[in-house]
Amino acid sequence: MDIQPISVYEEKLQSSFPTKDSIPFEVRISGKKYEPLYLLDGKILKWDGNLEDVSSPICINENGQIKRTIIGQVPSMDEAAAMEGLNAAVRAWNNGRGEWPTMSVKERISAVEQFVARMRLVRDEVVKLMMWEIGKSLEDSYKEFDRTVDYIIKTIEALKEVDRNNSRFSLDDGVIAQVRRSPLGVCLSMGPFNYPLNETYTTLIPALIMGNTLVVKPPKFGVMLHQPLLEAFAECFPKGVVNFIYGTGSKIISPIMKSGLVDVLAFIGSSRVADVLKLQHPRPHRMRCILGLDAKNPALVMPDADLDLAVKECVTGSLSFNGQRCTGLKIMFVHKSIIDQFLTKLAEAIDKLPQGMPWEKGVKLTPLPEFDKAVRLKGYIDDAITKGAKVVNQGGGAFYETLFKPAIVYPIAPNADLYDVEQFGPVVPVCSYNDEQEFLDFVTNSNYGQQLSVFGNNPKIIARLIDQLTNQVSRININSQCQRGPDTLPFTGRKDSAEATLSISDALRCFSIRSLVAAQSNENSRDIIQNIVNGRHSNFLNTDFIL
Ligand code: G3H
């Protein structure tokens, strides 16, 4: 194949951006004006302070000038407004005596059921905003929405099951008791930009349904998509139970943390920021943390691996949503006997991935939302090149504004940034190895411990690797890419990768603590308990069975 100059690829990327008129009518959002709204104490209010532009990574070609588009504005709140959001959640919690935290599980479930029905009504609107705000393909944006709705429905079912099991008394050593799960308090919920809906809601909804009250701060990108849902939050839950605040983290989150009023921190982002937030809390032992943090999941491709399968999984593993997944494969170790074949097949597969605008049918690579991300990625590639690597695929690393052609970079030296930095973008670092020990050393020395993938067919070797690696990472994937799903499985990580475990049922545990009511099993206490239960005097102490 002829080697084309990089400018050819850059021009191709440049020509992928649409003019305003060529955008299909059904995917446009410009028809609707989005006001800078926020949700405080049960009311949707219009913010009249400073605003921040929402800049879409989907650039528009205006007479040959290609620029990011401003698709709306969101509030850029100050400290006082953020504290109002927190105080509303504190009031709704009311030291655990608020309407929501003391409501029966059945009633809370019914509120969440109403919410999910309302949520379905704004599916198209949320999905379109997601596509415009973070550049996720229309198809994947729909998948994210539907997966989130499914998650909520399964969460409701899981809570019913928990409640059924807790609707009985135990009698042991002369003590009669009922054990339930109670909410923890005020939860600060902050999701990431790559799954702005799903990863926010997979903590927000369990926290909510367990009876906690919330302050939600959407990520830097993926902010407006929450707006069509504000009304449902305002109308389905008592006032102050869910509050949305917007703005720069350092300005609005620091005072919230320093107040010491946050009981639960649900944060998906970097370990660096998580450490800052934790340290700001005056009594960190009072704050439960549910954290999804950095990862650098590696793949090991052994000599007997089914190469076509390994390549297919490595392509989706490293480049789904442009490599912007915490579970993405971020480095590959391939045995030296198959490295040439692997690289050839990988380059062929990657070069076939359709790149373009997120609404194009079958598109796999789309614009990147983070400002200057392409320049940063190029910096990692240049660093690896100075340390002996090459870009293996044609045009890899070419970029134009927010579109970046994926680059396979090989061989990655241990002192190159790409060896241990989480690139979170379309750069695929590959190393070759002689001895599995090199892979084991990488995993052991890594600061991260989320997941890994092994590709091979020898059960004995795979068994040995499993036994050596299960205490290093939280999930080992055999002959498949790393991933979070299905959502019934535990999702967590070791070292700098996570704190606490999420899954549909685990999340309910994360956002609650066990409380119990106990008494000596004598006639008097049995009478009291019987009276409370028969008269349905308590939301906690009861034997109601939710069907
Ligand atoms: O960004 C991290 C996500 O939780 C990954 O989820 O494996 O389903 O893409 P996923």
Side-chain angles (χ1 to χ4, degrees), residues 465-493:
L465 286 166
I466 289 172
D467 289 352
Q468 286 177 308
L469 291 166
T470 38
N471 293 344
Q472 283 292 326
V473 295
S474 294
R475 174 165 166 168
I476 294 175
N477 301 279
I478 301 173
N479 290 323
S480 76
Q481 61 156 320
C482 298
Q483 61 184 38
R484 175 177 179 153
D487 288 323
T488 42
L489 291 178
F491 177 53
T492 183

Short mmCIF file of all heavy atoms in Angstrom, two decimals, residues 465-493:
data_model
loop_
_atom_site.label_atom_id
_atom_site.label_comp_id
_atom_site.label_asym_id
_atom_site.label_seq_id
_atom_site.Cartn_x
_atom_site.Cartn_y
_atom_site.Cartn_z
N LEU A 465 -2.40 -18.19 35.40
CA LEU A 465 -2.50 -16.71 35.38
C LEU A 465 -3.62 -16.24 36.29
O LEU A 465 -3.47 -15.25 37.02
CB LEU A 465 -2.76 -16.23 33.95
CG LEU A 465 -1.56 -16.30 33.00
CD1 LEU A 465 -2.02 -16.12 31.57
CD2 LEU A 465 -0.54 -15.23 33.37
N ILE A 466 -4.75 -16.94 36.23
CA ILE A 466 -5.89 -16.55 37.08
C ILE A 466 -5.45 -16.54 38.54
O ILE A 466 -5.66 -15.56 39.27
CB ILE A 466 -7.08 -17.52 36.88
CG1 ILE A 466 -7.71 -17.30 35.50
CG2 ILE A 466 -8.14 -17.35 37.98
CD1 ILE A 466 -8.77 -18.32 35.12
N ASP A 467 -4.78 -17.61 38.95
CA ASP A 467 -4.40 -17.69 40.37
C ASP A 467 -3.36 -16.64 40.75
O ASP A 467 -3.30 -16.22 41.90
CB ASP A 467 -3.91 -19.11 40.70
CG ASP A 467 -5.08 -20.09 40.69
OD1 ASP A 467 -6.23 -19.63 40.57
OD2 ASP A 467 -4.84 -21.30 40.77
N GLN A 468 -2.54 -16.24 39.77
CA GLN A 468 -1.55 -15.21 40.11
C GLN A 468 -2.11 -13.80 40.04
O GLN A 468 -1.52 -12.88 40.58
CB GLN A 468 -0.35 -15.34 39.16
CG GLN A 468 0.50 -16.54 39.51
CD GLN A 468 1.65 -16.71 38.54
OE1 GLN A 468 1.44 -16.74 37.32
NE2 GLN A 468 2.84 -16.81 39.06
N LEU A 469 -3.25 -13.64 39.35
CA LEU A 469 -3.71 -12.27 39.09
C LEU A 469 -5.02 -11.87 39.78
O LEU A 469 -5.33 -10.68 39.84
CB LEU A 469 -3.85 -12.06 37.57
CG LEU A 469 -2.51 -12.05 36.83
CD1 LEU A 469 -2.71 -12.17 35.34
CD2 LEU A 469 -1.73 -10.78 37.15
N THR A 470 -5.77 -12.84 40.28
CA THR A 470 -7.05 -12.44 40.90
C THR A 470 -6.86 -11.55 42.13
O THR A 470 -7.78 -10.83 42.51
CB THR A 470 -7.93 -13.65 41.32
OG1 THR A 470 -7.08 -14.63 41.82
CG2 THR A 470 -8.77 -14.16 40.19
N ASN A 471 -5.70 -11.61 42.74
CA ASN A 471 -5.48 -10.72 43.89
C ASN A 471 -4.84 -9.40 43.48
O ASN A 471 -4.41 -8.61 44.32
CB ASN A 471 -4.63 -11.41 44.96
CG ASN A 471 -5.37 -12.57 45.59
OD1 ASN A 471 -6.59 -12.66 45.45
ND2 ASN A 471 -4.66 -13.46 46.25
N GLN A 472 -4.74 -9.19 42.18
CA GLN A 472 -4.20 -7.91 41.67
C GLN A 472 -5.27 -7.05 41.04
O GLN A 472 -5.19 -5.83 41.05
CB GLN A 472 -3.10 -8.19 40.63
CG GLN A 472 -1.77 -8.63 41.21
CD GLN A 472 -1.10 -7.50 41.97
OE1 GLN A 472 -1.21 -6.34 41.61
NE2 GLN A 472 -0.40 -7.85 43.03
N VAL A 473 -6.24 -7.70 40.39
CA VAL A 473 -7.32 -6.95 39.72
C VAL A 473 -8.66 -7.52 40.18
O VAL A 473 -8.70 -8.56 40.83
CB VAL A 473 -7.21 -7.01 38.17
CG1 VAL A 473 -5.97 -6.33 37.67
CG2 VAL A 473 -7.27 -8.45 37.68
N SER A 474 -9.73 -6.85 39.79
CA SER A 474 -11.03 -7.31 40.27
C SER A 474 -11.82 -8.13 39.26
O SER A 474 -12.89 -8.64 39.57
CB SER A 474 -11.88 -6.11 40.70
OG SER A 474 -11.26 -5.53 41.81
N ARG A 475 -11.34 -8.21 38.06
CA ARG A 475 -12.04 -9.07 37.08
C ARG A 475 -11.02 -9.48 36.02
O ARG A 475 -10.30 -8.63 35.48
CB ARG A 475 -13.20 -8.30 36.44
CG ARG A 475 -13.91 -9.05 35.31
CD ARG A 475 -15.25 -8.39 35.01
NE ARG A 475 -15.81 -8.84 33.74
CZ ARG A 475 -17.06 -8.61 33.34
NH1 ARG A 475 -17.88 -7.92 34.12
NH2 ARG A 475 -17.49 -9.04 32.17
N ILE A 476 -11.02 -10.78 35.74
CA ILE A 476 -10.15 -11.30 34.67
C ILE A 476 -11.07 -11.78 33.56
O ILE A 476 -11.98 -12.58 33.81
CB ILE A 476 -9.27 -12.45 35.20
CG1 ILE A 476 -8.28 -11.88 36.25
CG2 ILE A 476 -8.52 -13.15 34.07
CD1 ILE A 476 -7.42 -12.91 36.93
N ASN A 477 -10.85 -11.29 32.37
CA ASN A 477 -11.71 -11.64 31.23
C ASN A 477 -10.94 -12.61 30.33
O ASN A 477 -9.85 -12.28 29.86
CB ASN A 477 -12.07 -10.37 30.45
CG ASN A 477 -12.80 -9.37 31.34
OD1 ASN A 477 -13.99 -9.48 31.56
ND2 ASN A 477 -12.06 -8.42 31.89
N ILE A 478 -11.52 -13.78 30.12
CA ILE A 478 -10.85 -14.77 29.28
C ILE A 478 -11.36 -14.64 27.85
O ILE A 478 -12.56 -14.74 27.58
CB ILE A 478 -11.11 -16.20 29.79
CG1 ILE A 478 -10.61 -16.33 31.23
CG2 ILE A 478 -10.46 -17.24 28.89
CD1 ILE A 478 -10.97 -17.64 31.89
N ASN A 479 -10.42 -14.38 26.94
CA ASN A 479 -10.73 -14.24 25.52
C ASN A 479 -11.84 -13.23 25.23
O ASN A 479 -12.65 -13.42 24.31
CB ASN A 479 -11.07 -15.61 24.89
CG ASN A 479 -9.83 -16.48 24.80
OD1 ASN A 479 -8.73 -15.96 24.54
ND2 ASN A 479 -9.97 -17.75 25.05
N SER A 480 -11.90 -12.20 26.04
CA SER A 480 -12.82 -11.11 25.73
C SER A 480 -12.29 -9.81 26.33
O SER A 480 -11.45 -9.82 27.24
CB SER A 480 -14.23 -11.41 26.23
OG SER A 480 -14.28 -11.24 27.62
N GLN A 481 -12.81 -8.72 25.80
CA GLN A 481 -12.40 -7.39 26.28
C GLN A 481 -12.85 -7.20 27.74
O GLN A 481 -13.66 -7.97 28.25
CB GLN A 481 -13.02 -6.32 25.40
CG GLN A 481 -14.54 -6.32 25.41
CD GLN A 481 -15.15 -4.98 25.04
OE1 GLN A 481 -14.66 -3.94 25.45
NE2 GLN A 481 -16.22 -5.01 24.27
N CYS A 482 -12.34 -6.16 28.38
CA CYS A 482 -12.79 -5.82 29.73
C CYS A 482 -14.12 -5.07 29.60
O CYS A 482 -14.34 -4.37 28.63
CB CYS A 482 -11.77 -4.92 30.42
SG CYS A 482 -10.17 -5.69 30.63
N GLN A 483 -14.96 -5.22 30.58
CA GLN A 483 -16.23 -4.47 30.57
C GLN A 483 -16.88 -4.49 31.93
O GLN A 483 -16.53 -5.33 32.77
CB GLN A 483 -17.19 -5.03 29.54
CG GLN A 483 -17.58 -6.48 29.79
CD GLN A 483 -18.46 -7.04 28.70
OE1 GLN A 483 -18.27 -6.75 27.52
NE2 GLN A 483 -19.44 -7.82 29.09
N ARG A 484 -17.80 -3.57 32.11
CA ARG A 484 -18.52 -3.49 33.38
C ARG A 484 -19.65 -4.51 33.47
O ARG A 484 -19.88 -5.12 34.49
CB ARG A 484 -19.08 -2.08 33.54
CG ARG A 484 -19.94 -1.91 34.75
CD ARG A 484 -20.41 -0.48 34.90
NE ARG A 484 -21.26 -0.36 36.07
CZ ARG A 484 -21.43 0.74 36.78
NH1 ARG A 484 -20.81 1.84 36.41
NH2 ARG A 484 -22.20 0.77 37.83
N GLY A 485 -20.36 -4.66 32.36
CA GLY A 485 -21.59 -5.45 32.37
C GLY A 485 -21.36 -6.94 32.40
O GLY A 485 -20.22 -7.41 32.27
N PRO A 486 -22.42 -7.75 32.57
CA PRO A 486 -23.76 -7.30 32.90
C PRO A 486 -23.81 -6.66 34.29
O PRO A 486 -23.01 -6.99 35.16
CB PRO A 486 -24.59 -8.59 32.86
CG PRO A 486 -23.62 -9.70 33.01
CD PRO A 486 -22.32 -9.22 32.49
N ASP A 487 -24.79 -5.76 34.46
CA ASP A 487 -24.80 -4.94 35.68
C ASP A 487 -25.12 -5.70 36.96
O ASP A 487 -25.08 -5.13 38.05
CB ASP A 487 -25.77 -3.77 35.50
CG ASP A 487 -25.22 -2.73 34.53
OD1 ASP A 487 -24.00 -2.51 34.54
OD2 ASP A 487 -26.00 -2.17 33.75
N THR A 488 -25.43 -6.99 36.82
CA THR A 488 -25.62 -7.81 38.03
C THR A 488 -24.27 -8.24 38.61
O THR A 488 -24.21 -8.66 39.76
CB THR A 488 -26.43 -9.08 37.69
OG1 THR A 488 -25.92 -9.58 36.46
CG2 THR A 488 -27.91 -8.79 37.56
N LEU A 489 -23.20 -8.14 37.81
CA LEU A 489 -21.87 -8.55 38.31
C LEU A 489 -21.22 -7.43 39.11
O LEU A 489 -21.43 -6.25 38.81
CB LEU A 489 -20.97 -8.92 37.14
CG LEU A 489 -21.33 -10.18 36.37
CD1 LEU A 489 -20.37 -10.40 35.21
CD2 LEU A 489 -21.33 -11.40 37.29
N PRO A 490 -20.39 -7.78 40.09
CA PRO A 490 -19.72 -6.72 40.85
C PRO A 490 -18.75 -5.94 39.98
O PRO A 490 -18.01 -6.52 39.18
CB PRO A 490 -18.97 -7.48 41.95
CG PRO A 490 -19.01 -8.91 41.58
CD PRO A 490 -20.12 -9.11 40.61
N PHE A 491 -18.77 -4.63 40.14
CA PHE A 491 -17.87 -3.76 39.39
C PHE A 491 -17.05 -2.98 40.42
O PHE A 491 -17.60 -2.18 41.17
CB PHE A 491 -18.69 -2.81 38.52
CG PHE A 491 -17.87 -1.81 37.76
CD1 PHE A 491 -16.81 -2.23 36.96
CD2 PHE A 491 -18.17 -0.45 37.80
CE1 PHE A 491 -16.05 -1.30 36.24
CE2 PHE A 491 -17.42 0.47 37.09
CZ PHE A 491 -16.36 0.04 36.31
N THR A 492 -15.75 -3.25 40.46
CA THR A 492 -14.92 -2.58 41.45
C THR A 492 -13.47 -2.59 40.96
O THR A 492 -13.20 -2.89 39.80
CB THR A 492 -15.09 -3.25 42.83
OG1 THR A 492 -14.32 -2.53 43.80
CG2 THR A 492 -14.66 -4.71 42.85
N GLY A 493 -12.55 -2.26 41.83
CA GLY A 493 -11.14 -2.26 41.45
C GLY A 493 -10.28 -2.21 42.70
O GLY A 493 -10.76 -1.87 43.79
#
